[in-house]
Amino acid sequence: MKKHWWQEEIVYQIYPRSFKDSNDDGIGDLRGITERLDYLKDLGITMIWLCPIYKSPMADNGYDISDYFAINEEFGTMADFDELVKEAKGRNIKIMMDLVLNHSSNEHEWFKKALADKNSPYREYYIFRKGTREPNNWRSIFGGSCWTKVDGEDAYYFHSFAKEQPDLNWENPKLREEIYKIVNFWIDKGITAFRMDAINHIKKNPTYQSANPDGADGRVSVINFGRNQDGVEELIKKLSDKTFKVHDSMTVGETAGLSYDKYKNYIGDDGVFSMVFDFIPANFDLIEETWFKRIDWELEDFRKAIFNSQNSIQKYGWSANFIENHDQPRATSKILRGNDENIKAIKMLAGVYFFLRGTPYIYQGQELGMKNFVRKTVADFQDIQSIDSYKRSLEEGFSEEEAIAFTNLRSRDNARVPFAWTSEKYGGFSKVKPWLAMAYENPKVNAKDQADNPDSVLNFYKKMIAFRKNSLYKEVLIYGDFIEKTSKNKEIIAYQRRLEDGEIDLYFNFSKARVEEEIQGKEIIFASDDAKIEDGKLSLGEFGFALIK
Ligand code: GLC
Ligand code: CA
């Protein structure tokens, strides 16, 4: 693979509502982020992925944009944004913007005009169908029909997500031109990296026909007809050729459900993106990505999922590695289950994914080892998808208790609780009650305490980041191939990173018991405290790990 500037990046994802509130209204904002840039600099990351900060009525926390050229008031002003970019640049930190282009908000000017007049050219910016009934039985991703009736008219409009998120009609060349303008506006402001929200949804199956239901509601999920459809890459390529390609931008596609045999067009030499997020490893605990269809998984399932992902992606290009984001539960709770407060286990888990081949992404709070926040009733959830998951679980015949349990395990609110800076009230995030309840009012897990403790998860992340970025082994850790290794021990995940002139073996112990491994290398180069080599064997203690040369 040809070398690219973005292969050396380490990306930190910020959920602006929940990072730092600078004006004490309970909502995180841009100035809050600027205030905390030194924390990020010290952590060692090189790029911030900002979840959407554009003007939005916040039906889906900013993933419903009503003006692509403006900043949402609760986050600040364009001047605050420019200040953030400038201050970040001064610390060698780049900014990645989140582009939500599959849909707009229902409060976008285009949609308002489309609704107001059925002969408006803006109708062609969206997907409308005439009729007195829902045009088909597709279920939207946040529940209910994909179609919402137009008031006072026998017509419906289409939405893959919530009804406040009408899908844009990418088949219309005029709409596409508007999109290129939006992207180039941000490129002209100096933004070099973009995360492409739900981008594989922009093409729909043109028949718009009903299909066999897959649930008790008589509907079938839109992901079968409105995601990864034939021809979607051509639409993305048109966009990319007019924008990112011209400027050598870094791009990461959110492409859930994309099968590996299609990766060439996405991330191959002539691919449309630099990298894409692979959700197969993220959803290894679920069937059909459905929260109430859970697998009683073993470590082997997790191992297979990440190895398969690495092997498949390596054939074509570069990966975007993550274990958390704003739509996922905390990895500690999801993968370590009962051991989600075990500091050794949290560090070991960090190492497993961080040293894989690809660009590592860290989601805010992951570097502290934050865990899920268990909610007791449906009223405690804010997230639109969590509320739907609860309703659907009941509809499918699960008990109230089961419905809450499934939702807790996967709720997007888990990752969205405000970041804990200190152990003060509201975690030093804000002086007032935050928009979303914190797991603890006086958080035990917080950045201040961890900064002062050399043994903390935070300090471990710093060391791990520095090791990838600056150590003698940098070249192989970044550019080396991924090679899967097997171990006789069921509780071990092992792999190798290899370049022509060297290789590193990595071993991770997912159990409390001490384990021994036959090894080839001689020297431990990075490891948990109790890892040692004795008589040619590697010995790892409780949740220990080692990189060996
Ligand atoms: C993506 C975002 C998610 C959002 C959805 C609709 O999956 O990550 O947060 O709800 O798209 O825009
Ligand atoms: Ca604020």
Side-chain angles (χ1 to χ4, degrees):
M1 183 179 169
K2 225 174 50 203
K3 277 197 181 177
H4 296 278
W5 67 267
W6 33 259
Q7 285 173 292
E8 305 212 352
E9 302 297 319
I10 297 173
V11 186
Y12 185 89
Q13 184 189 352
I14 290 187
Y15 198 67
R17 283 204 131 195
S18 300
F19 192 60
K20 178 72 180 82
D21 176 15
S22 72
N23 60 347
D24 293 314
D25 62 356
I27 299 172
D29 46 56
L30 291 169
R31 285 184 176 209
I33 301 170
T34 307
E35 271 174 25
R36 298 303 152 118
L37 283 171
D38 286 334
Y39 169 82
L40 299 176
K41 171 85 194 153
D42 195 41
L43 181 58
I45 58 98
T46 63
M47 182 181 283
I48 295 170
W49 154 17
L50 267 190
C51 285
I53 40 100
Y54 315 90
K55 188 155 196 257
S56 164
M58 294 274 155
D60 186 24
N61 284 349
Y63 285 91
D64 48 321
I65 299 173
S66 54
D67 184 348
Y68 289 89
F69 302 100
I71 304 291
N72 205 36
E73 245 171 66
E74 69 179 31
F75 294 134
T77 61
M78 193 58 93
D80 295 333
F81 176 80
D82 293 340
E83 175 78 5
L84 168 61
V85 175
K86 190 182 115 215
E87 288 295 318
K89 193 168 180 196
R91 291 167 177 82
N92 279 323
I93 296 175
K94 304 178 191 76
I95 304 282
M96 169 187 277
M97 298 288 279
D98 209 323
L99 287 173
V100 189
L101 304 175
N102 173 66
H103 42 269
S104 74
S105 159
N106 60 336
E107 293 187 19
H108 194 286
E109 278 307 309
W110 299 335
F111 193 69
K112 287 203 238 166
K113 288 182 183 154
L115 277 190
D117 171 8
K118 61 176 159 217
N119 299 315
S120 157
Y122 290 104
R123 278 255 159 147
E124 296 302 315
Y125 277 38
Y126 295 90
I127 301 165
F128 282 85
R129 289 286 179 275
K130 291 190 186 120
T132 50
R133 292 187 298 139
E134 290 165 12
N136 62 32
N137 71 338
W138 299 357
R139 180 192 311 109
S140 74
I141 292 176
F142 295 151
S145 175
C146 277
W147 300 94
T148 291
K149 192 171 175 319
V150 180
D151 267 352
E153 231 187 274
D154 287 339
Y156 287 78
Y157 69 87
F158 179 84
H159 49 89
S160 298
F161 295 86
K163 65 177 189 316
E164 294 86 357
Q165 296 166 297
D167 282 45
L168 291 162
N169 177 17
W170 278 72
E171 307 300 331
N172 178 355
K174 272 213 183 115
L175 179 273
R176 294 200 300 266
E177 288 296 329
E178 303 264 18
I179 299 277
Y180 309 155
K181 269 191 234 156
I182 294 170
V183 178
N184 285 323
F185 170 83
W186 292 98
I187 290 179
D188 291 344
K189 277 184 87 66
I191 300 298
T192 52
F194 297 92
R195 181 252 184 197
M196 306 302 293
D197 185 72
I199 194 69
N200 53 341
H201 289 253
I202 63 177
K203 181 104 191 169
K204 329 297 175 205
N205 182 313
T207 67
Y208 284 95
Q209 258 165 25
S210 288
N212 287 337
D214 65 8
D217 58 357
R219 302 189 195 281
V220 56
S221 172
V222 66
I223 66 176
N224 301 296
F225 312 98
R227 194 177 83 175
N228 301 318
Q229 296 296 302
D230 288 345
V232 65
E233 293 107 300
E234 279 139 50
L235 291 178
I236 303 174
K237 188 167 186 312
K238 286 190 167 103
L239 163 69
S240 172
D241 286 348
K242 289 269 163 68
T243 55
F244 313 128
K245 279 272 144 71
V246 184
H247 301 274
D248 192 23
S249 312
M250 165 175 170
T251 48
V252 53
E254 190 204 23
T255 52
L258 186 68
S259 58
Y260 296 126
D261 55 5
K262 294 197 174 156
Y263 269 58
K264 187 165 178 286
N265 292 339
Y266 280 84
I267 59 165
D269 287 340
D270 292 316
V272 290
F273 294 138
S274 315
M275 60 192 95
V276 299
F277 290 123
D278 176 12
F279 286 88
I280 299 174
N283 290 328
F284 80 99
D285 58 332
L286 302 178
I287 299 168
E288 294 160 3
E289 303 167 39
T290 307
W291 293 3
F292 56 79
K293 295 186 185 169
R294 298 198 51 86
I295 294 173
D296 190 15
W297 59 272
E298 287 175 9
L299 186 63
E300 180 61 9
D301 299 303
F302 177 59
R303 194 184 75 91
K304 271 200 201 137
I306 50 180
F307 283 15
N308 195 19
S309 173
Q310 287 274 298
N311 284 325
S312 309
I313 292 175
Q314 173 162 264
K315 285 189 214 146
Y316 305 112
W318 192 246
S319 334
N321 299 320
F322 69 101
I323 48 173
E324 290 185 13
N325 67 34
H326 65 295
D327 296 328
Q328 292 283 322
R330 290 292 181 181
T332 47
S333 305
K334 174 167 132 190
I335 303 168
L336 300 173
R337 296 187 274 203
N339 295 303
D340 62 358
E341 288 186 9
N342 184 316
I343 303 287
K344 290 181 180 172
I346 297 171
K347 295 178 187 171
M348 185 274 306
L349 177 63
V352 173
Y353 98 98
F354 188 84
F355 292 116
L356 292 171
R357 180 179 174 280
T359 297
Y361 287 71
I362 300 167
Y363 178 72
Q364 65 181 47
Q366 180 187 323
E367 79 279 21
L368 305 180
M370 286 177 80
K371 60 172 201 165
N372 284 354
F373 165 11
V374 180
R375 293 169 172 84
K376 296 201 179 63
T377 74
V378 66
D380 298 335
F381 292 97
Q382 283 234 359
D383 163 36
I384 165 170
Q385 192 172 14
S386 301
I387 297 163
D388 174 60
S389 151
Y390 169 80
K391 278 202 282 204
R392 282 209 65 220
S393 309
L394 293 180
E395 222 170 70
E396 295 290 330
F398 292 103
S399 69
E400 163 97 27
E401 206 178 317
E402 285 165 322
I404 288 286
F406 293 139
T407 307
N408 265 314
L409 285 171
R410 274 273 159 179
S411 174
R412 308 195 301 174
D413 284 337
N414 281 315
R416 298 177 181 185
V417 295
F419 187 93
W421 293 98
T422 68
S423 61
E424 293 159 286
K425 194 167 186 198
Y426 307 131
F429 163 76
S430 179
K431 292 207 175 68
V432 305
K433 199 170 183 215
W435 70 278
L436 181 65
M438 321 250 324
Y440 304 95
E441 270 199 5
N442 294 76
K444 276 187 304 190
V445 173
N446 66 73
K448 168 87 176 58
D449 290 356
Q450 291 204 17
D452 297 341
N453 171 4
D455 226 27
S456 66
V457 177
L458 176 62
N459 278 311
F460 175 76
Y461 265 86
K462 282 187 206 170
K463 279 182 227 154
M464 182 170 73
I465 290 169
F467 196 72
R468 182 187 195 265
K469 251 182 27 179
N470 306 320
S471 72
L472 274 177
Y473 310 100
K474 171 182 168 175
E475 287 288 308
V476 54
L477 287 175
I478 296 175
Y479 299 103
D481 289 339
F482 167 85
I483 293 151
E484 141 174 9
K485 285 180 81 81
T486 46
S487 164
K488 280 189 217 110
N489 197 318
K490 267 192 13 216
E491 302 295 338
I492 292 273
I493 288 187
Y495 58 86
Q496 185 178 75
R497 299 294 310 282
R498 184 195 292 170
L499 268 190
E500 302 87 47
D501 56 347
E503 66 217 12
I504 293 173
D505 289 323
L506 301 91
Y507 296 88
F508 301 90
N509 176 13
F510 274 78
S511 77
K512 287 196 166 164
R514 184 164 276 278
V515 293
E516 286 193 338
E517 281 284 325
E518 302 278 349
I519 50 162
Q520 254 107 47
K522 290 193 183 63
E523 190 196 343
I524 291 182
I525 54 172
F526 189 76
S528 52
D529 297 338
D530 58 3
K532 52 191 181 215
I533 295 180
E534 271 171 353
D535 310 324
K537 285 194 185 123
L538 170 69
S539 168
L540 295 175
E542 173 180 347
F543 295 115
F545 74 91
L547 276 62
I548 295 176
K549 178 79 189 148

